[in-house]
Amino acid sequence: MIKTKFTKIVATVSDRRCDVDFIQKLFDNGLNVVRMNSAHLQREGFERIVNNVRQVSDRIGILMDTKGPEIRTTTNVDDENVVFTAGMEVDVAGEPESLTSVSRICLSYPDIANDVKEGMHLLIDDGELDFLIEKIDGGVLKCRVQNDGELGSRKSVNIPGASIKLPSLTQRDITNIGYAMELGVDFIAHSFVRSKQDVLDIQAILDAHDSPIKIISKIENQEGIDNFDEILEVSYGIMIARGDLGIEIPAERIPVVQRELINKCIASHKPVIVATQMLHTMISNPRPTRAEVSDIANAVFQHTDALMLSGETAYGKYPVEAISTMTRIISATEKSMTGHCSSHFNYESGLTDVTEFLTHGAVDSQYVVGTKAIVTDSYTGRTARYISSFRGISPTLAICYHKHVTRLLALSYGVYSIYQKKDSTSRAYLHHGLKHLIGLELITPDDTIAYVGGGFGEGKGTTFLEINKVSDVLDNYEHYDLPNLEQPK
């Protein structure tokens, strides 16, 4: 188990390569959350991955993507690549049942002509092919090819500046959300989120089934950026999906947008994931480029909660090496930040929420009195997420009373979560937590720790902050006490 990094790692796993030994190797090298790409999986595949992950550890979070409001080209004639050269004229039409040819590109979205304007660019296959819309005639886009290239079947389509009226959920998405609830998946990452309504559409399904699954909103278009504040408000967390985002907005804006979105998530105490091409060359090469190393380090310097690997672990040649490489880069970067107060987020606007005030104080204690760890017991994970958001320099141990909360915290910066059945007092949980941290070699009996808890049971919030020397708590177990948590009914 990797204990030397605070930034978490999400890794995409395919049902074709998800045996228990493989997942165990990823976990041993730093994996925290497994991602399942629903575009490539059926019910049996989801079940195989979930079952194998649970055999490795019940602390690994599992995240499922939705397809979302996506547009693709149709299958090519004879399923062969179509060659285009700059200057060619080509028709583009919303004809899901037709085949694509060199003279007519057909799209999966029938109403495309109603949502675009003349002068817009149609970017296909992650922007590899650029088509300028010169005229719209009877539902057909008259386009001119802007660069040479080849088009394969069923490629992605982006139209920067267009507001696409597709529904937020496809029928397949709805089916897959049903699978997620049946299988006990922890997160649903909703693709191409454009507004808070896209998030609420999924939340309504989850609420109807009383599901604890949390929604991660993927920001990958201009609409998502424009409506980010309202999206963040109704989301559990955010994924900055830089692939499609880098097509929708100018590439030079990506680093700035990434930093701004991360900061907003941290201020809202919500986890944020940076994704896409973190170690892309390691799909086929054993070592990363210097640019990739710097990209990962930059995201860590920006205090993201998690980084995500896609093809690197789903089908790449070096999946375990990619995880271990990312862990080493994260650890080295975090080590360079240790001890500097600049890595701690101070909220100048004031702390009016009690949980916010006490957790901020717990993190402040690391700098003022030198506490080496923060311990909290948790029903929902809220207190641990607040501690995490202040980005301190010491680890947080969250003792969770629900197994799914243990996995939810797998996305939170600096939080090491364990499950323990609720059957004792706060004193007993603190004693157990300290023993656990000593066993992990994260603290010693001579260290000082902060303990954040609540004295009135589930749902009543955080009410106290204790700071003590570890040996004093352990040596005086029979006499030392904290407010007892109310026993669940």
Side-chain angles (χ1 to χ4, degrees), residues 66-223:
T66 63
K67 182 180 179 182
E70 178 187 51
I71 302 175
R72 286 189 175 271
T73 63
T74 62
T75 302
N76 294 346
V77 173
D78 298 326
D79 203 18
E80 294 182 354
N81 284 3
V82 179
V83 179
F84 293 100
T85 57
M88 289 177 59
E89 294 181 356
V90 61
D91 290 346
V92 177
E95 299 176 354
E97 305 304 321
S98 300
L99 298 177
T100 289
S101 66
V102 70
S103 61
R104 193 177 186 88
I105 297 174
C106 299
L107 305 182
S108 61
Y109 179 41
D111 296 326
I112 185 67
N114 297 325
D115 293 353
V116 300
K117 298 176 181 179
E118 295 176 1
M120 288 183 169
H121 286 260
L122 200 76
L123 304 176
I124 299 180
D125 194 10
D126 295 333
E128 292 296 319
L129 281 165
D130 184 356
F131 300 83
L132 174 64
I133 303 172
E134 294 185 331
K135 186 179 180 181
I136 302 174
D137 183 10
V140 177
L141 314 182
K142 301 291 185 176
C143 300
R144 190 170 300 277
V145 182
Q146 301 297 295
N147 65 288
D148 298 346
E150 293 188 17
L151 175 63
S153 295
R154 299 190 51 75
K155 296 301 181 180
S156 61
V157 177
N158 294 86
I159 311 165
S163 179
I164 303 300
K165 303 303 189 297
L166 277 168
S168 65
L169 291 170
T170 65
Q171 185 54 53
R172 176 165 179 166
D173 286 335
I174 295 171
T175 299
N176 287 338
I177 291 170
Y179 295 156
M181 291 187 289
E182 289 177 31
L183 297 172
V185 167
D186 304 296
F187 307 98
I188 290 175
H190 192 23
S191 299
F192 299 102
V193 172
R194 301 160 296 186
S195 69
K196 71 176 182 181
Q197 189 58 50
D198 290 351
V199 184
L200 296 177
D201 288 345
I202 293 184
Q203 192 63 59
I205 298 173
L206 299 176
D207 289 346
H209 294 83
D210 196 26
S211 171
I213 293 175
K214 302 302 181 184
I215 302 171
I216 305 295
S217 292
K218 295 173 66 175
I219 303 301
E220 42 194 336
N221 53 38
Q222 185 63 53
E223 283 186 275

Side-chain angles (χ1 to χ4, degrees), residues 226-485:
D226 293 341
N227 299 319
F228 183 76
D229 290 347
E230 69 171 44
I231 292 169
L232 178 61
E233 184 179 356
V234 296
S235 304
Y236 178 84
I238 296 293
M239 181 188 295
I240 305 172
R242 304 179 305 175
D244 283 278
L245 189 60
I247 302 168
E248 291 273 337
I249 69 175
E252 63 271 17
R253 286 191 57 208
I254 294 295
V256 176
V257 169
Q258 175 176 307
R259 182 185 63 190
E260 290 174 349
L261 299 191
I262 288 174
N263 286 344
K264 285 188 175 185
C265 290
I266 292 171
S268 298
H269 313 292
K270 296 189 175 185
V272 55
I273 307 164
V274 174
T276 315
Q277 296 186 335
M278 304 302 297
L279 289 172
H280 188 69
T281 57
M282 289 195 72
I283 291 175
S284 55
N285 296 292
R287 287 184 297 276
T289 65
R290 276 67 171 176
E292 289 169 336
V293 172
S294 296
D295 183 34
I296 292 171
N298 181 56
V300 175
F301 280 130
Q302 291 177 344
H303 308 286
T304 186
D305 284 272
L307 300 169
M308 193 175 93
L309 295 169
S310 299
E312 299 95 332
T313 50
Y315 56 84
K317 293 181 180 178
Y318 305 98
V320 177
E321 292 84 353
I323 286 273
S324 62
T325 296
M326 179 170 274
T327 293
R328 291 196 304 273
I329 298 168
I330 289 170
S331 298
T333 306
E334 290 175 348
K335 186 176 180 180
S336 75
M337 298 158 60
T338 300
H340 296 281
C341 289
S342 60
S343 68
H344 170 44
F345 279 74
N346 291 289
Y347 285 62
E348 302 297 338
S349 59
L351 304 168
T352 57
D353 179 270
V354 173
T355 298
E356 194 174 49
F357 179 82
L358 291 173
T359 54
H360 187 275
V363 176
D364 268 344
S365 72
Q366 299 170 9
Y367 305 98
V368 178
V369 297
T371 53
K372 297 301 182 183
I374 301 173
V375 181
T376 185
D377 44 4
S378 183
Y379 283 101
T380 66
R382 180 173 182 261
T383 298
R385 288 194 300 273
Y386 272 52
I387 295 168
S388 169
S389 70
F390 291 116
R391 299 300 195 259
I393 56 174
S394 299
T396 298
L397 174 68
I399 305 171
C400 305
Y401 305 129
H402 302 291
K403 289 184 178 179
H404 76 274
V405 174
T406 305
R407 297 189 291 270
L408 293 182
L409 293 174
L411 269 185
S412 294
Y413 181 95
V415 177
Y416 183 91
S417 57
I418 58 173
Y419 166 71
Q420 182 160 322
K421 187 176 180 180
K422 179 70 188 76
D423 58 3
S424 189
T425 64
S426 295
R427 176 181 64 181
Y429 286 114
L430 177 57
H431 187 270
H432 172 78
L434 295 181
K435 289 287 189 179
H436 195 87
L437 288 173
I438 292 172
L440 292 172
E441 299 181 353
L442 293 176
I443 60 171
T444 70
D446 293 327
D447 290 331
T448 300
I449 58 96
Y451 178 49
V452 184
F456 298 99
E458 183 171 5
K460 302 298 176 60
T462 304
T463 60
F464 65 84
L465 164 64
E466 283 269 342
I467 297 177
N468 286 294
K469 189 176 180 180
V470 175
S471 60
D472 289 343
V473 176
L474 297 179
D475 293 344
N476 294 279
Y477 177 75
E478 296 299 329
H479 308 288
Y480 174 77
D481 205 359
L482 288 165
N484 286 325
L485 292 177

Side-chain angles (χ1 to χ4, degrees), residues 33-89:
V33 176
V34 164
R35 169 181 174 253
M36 303 185 296
N37 187 348
S38 67
H40 306 294
L41 290 172
Q42 301 299 325
R43 173 68 166 77
E44 295 76 14
F46 289 127
E47 187 171 9
R48 188 179 308 123
I49 294 172
V50 171
N51 288 343
N52 289 354
V53 169
R54 294 288 183 252
Q55 287 186 58
V56 172
S57 173
D58 62 4
R59 294 178 52 250
I60 301 175
I62 299 180
L63 177 151
M64 175 194 286
D65 272 11
T66 63
K67 182 180 179 182
E70 178 187 51
I71 302 175
R72 286 189 175 271
T73 63
T74 62
T75 302
N76 294 346
V77 173
D78 298 326
D79 203 18
E80 294 182 354
N81 284 3
V82 179
V83 179
F84 293 100
T85 57
M88 289 177 59
E89 294 181 356

